[in-house]
Amino acid sequence: MLGFHRRTRSLIPVKDLAKYDQVALYEDEEMMIEEEEMELVVVSEINVKSKQMQRTLVYIIVLAEAIMASSLQPQLEMLISNHDLCGNLSTSYLRSILDCAYAFGGAAGLVWGYVSDRVGRRPVTLFGLFAMFFCCISMGFATDLISCTIFRFIAGIASSSIVVTSLTMLGDLSVDQSERVKNVARLPLIALCGSIGPIVQGMVSGSVNGSEGIWQRFPTLSSQIACGSLVFLIAVTAAIMLKETLPLNPTKPEATMDIENEKVAFLWSSDPEEPSISVVDFVRPDPISISQFMQAPSFLVLLSSFCLLSLHAATFDVLLPHLGHSSTQNGGMGIPCDWLGFTVLVVRLVAGSAILYAVPRVVEKHGLLKPYRSMSMLFPAVYAVAPLLVLVAACSSTLTAFVSTLAILIKHVLAGSTSVLVVILVLNTTPDAFSTGTVIGLMQVISLFKALAVAVSGASFYLTDEFSITMTNYFLWTSLALFGVMGAALAWFVRERPSVERDFPSEVLCWETCFDAEKGEI
């Protein structure tokens, strides 16, 4: 009769009203479900926008590190009295010493990765940003090679925290591998934007050029203040807007609580003789230790492959000012010194755009291993063919410039693409977000092998006293090709993901939610 009183006039029999009330009930439930779905859509859109904002902040933080890394140029111009940045091997040797100090400082990334898995990404990132600001200002007071080397080492320690946490946060903010590849593929182009640092430094240095007092005593102070100001602005922005991506204190949401209660209800039995099922805990798993990572064979092979890749790629970059400026008759590329810097800048821009467009599509179609192995095989081919093609094209200056620029472009595309693939492969080695910082820190330690570039350039510097410049240049090309061949051979043993028991013992991996079974007492 309750249904009858809700209608003023009705021709529906009273005995059938309950059926129509049930229909109305279904309609109410459908409306409630639709409202809940709309609320979920709104929440999802908010989460997507929040993630996009955090990714943008991460890219800006990467830009800050790139700005400080590119601040090497004013120091070189101060240390080289004739301003000949690509004229001889002594200049390359001097550059490699400063790069070596920066790489040795980058080995501290192992510590930053370990800390970021335990205290969070945000505090490590903020510490690194403000430390880079102080490093930029301090480097302005360096006036000789020893002081510049010391400050470059300290700057490498600070910047390694940004490298580790930025890659880790990109992994945390990515939903799947496809999105992770797209996020990491933007990094070479963002690193190129760090070139605005030397441009701003040059403008500031030119405005105070000729001034006396402190500016004359410390020639690079004005440019380093400009660099530090940009880094400080980014640090303040990150302190206000950056959020933590590591769930330090995971709380069980209400929906998850309901699901777990349903599981318990499903597993629970009223028979006192049967085990009693209950949810024991909802905790974060313990991070995988450094020693456990270093005992994983597939991870060690991946690190070894990345070692050789870093070695020959960094050696090429260190020697490019010399090899690019040398005459084609002497085994060089024949690019004038005045045009070499601009050529490399344009090449990096084209290479970064190509990586951003092509790498995600190649990975989606062919996976990770096949492109990585194929690109590794192309490195020795570039190092072996480039000097020969340039020598053949020596009859035309236009053709020589084209071949040399094309060789540099191919090398930067290959180096940037393989670096992106290595980052994705490294991120695949950890089963959860609580060990990502550690594994990225281990990858950052491999930057030490970039320091071996100083050994190659140093050996070539001393060889010029006994051999001709032509023999020295061909020795450098041969060394690059040999390193590339070893890297290509080792790339065939790289695996896409680690396996249980072979790489990580089963006791290392655990569930986030556990059930405890205890036999009840009568």
Side-chain angles (χ1 to χ4, degrees), residues 255-311:
T256 308
M257 289 284 291
D258 295 338
I259 293 174
E260 301 302 342
N261 290 334
E262 291 178 4
K263 290 181 180 179
V264 173
F266 176 77
L267 296 173
W268 181 77
S269 175
S270 58
D271 189 352
E273 295 294 333
E274 296 293 331
S276 175
I277 308 297
S278 61
V279 177
V280 174
D281 203 359
F282 184 81
V283 296
R284 53 178 285 183
D286 294 330
I288 300 177
S289 65
I290 297 175
S291 60
Q292 290 168 337
F293 274 116
M294 297 306 296
Q295 293 174 8
S298 63
F299 183 64
L300 293 178
V301 172
L302 177 59
L303 288 185
S304 302
S305 178
F306 185 53
C307 287
L308 292 172
L309 170 64
S310 301
L311 177 58

Side-chain angles (χ1 to χ4, degrees), residues 121-304:
R121 330 296 194 201
R122 186 176 185 273
V124 176
T125 302
L126 296 180
F127 173 82
L129 286 171
F130 286 103
M132 287 197 308
F133 163 69
F134 288 109
C135 286
C136 287
I137 303 300
S138 301
M139 284 190 294
F141 295 96
T143 56
D144 54 14
L145 179 60
I146 296 178
S147 59
C148 286
T149 304
I150 294 174
F151 282 119
R152 288 295 292 180
F153 173 76
I154 298 174
I157 295 177
S159 68
S160 63
S161 64
I162 302 301
V163 175
V164 170
T165 55
S166 59
L167 292 176
T168 305
M169 287 188 289
L170 287 179
D172 295 339
L173 296 172
S174 302
V175 177
D176 52 19
Q177 178 172 288
S178 177
E179 185 177 351
R180 190 179 297 127
V181 173
K182 293 178 182 178
N183 293 336
V184 178
R186 297 186 179 99
L187 295 181
L189 201 57
I190 295 173
L192 174 63
C193 296
S195 301
I196 65 174
I199 295 176
V200 175
Q201 288 175 325
M203 295 172 59
V204 174
S205 179
S207 62
V208 299
N209 190 19
S211 302
E212 298 181 356
I214 191 173
W215 309 116
Q216 187 177 8
R217 183 179 178 184
F218 303 104
T220 62
L221 180 59
S222 59
S223 59
Q224 291 300 135
I225 290 176
C227 172
S229 300
L230 294 175
V231 175
F232 180 76
L233 181 62
I234 295 175
V236 173
T237 304
I240 297 174
M241 303 181 65
L242 185 65
K243 297 180 180 179
E244 180 60 62
T245 61
L246 179 68
L248 294 174
N249 298 310
T251 58
K252 185 178 291 188
E254 183 177 354
T256 308
M257 289 284 291
D258 295 338
I259 293 174
E260 301 302 342
N261 290 334
E262 291 178 4
K263 290 181 180 179
V264 173
F266 176 77
L267 296 173
W268 181 77
S269 175
S270 58
D271 189 352
E273 295 294 333
E274 296 293 331
S276 175
I277 308 297
S278 61
V279 177
V280 174
D281 203 359
F282 184 81
V283 296
R284 53 178 285 183
D286 294 330
I288 300 177
S289 65
I290 297 175
S291 60
Q292 290 168 337
F293 274 116
M294 297 306 296
Q295 293 174 8
S298 63
F299 183 64
L300 293 178
V301 172
L302 177 59
L303 288 185
S304 302

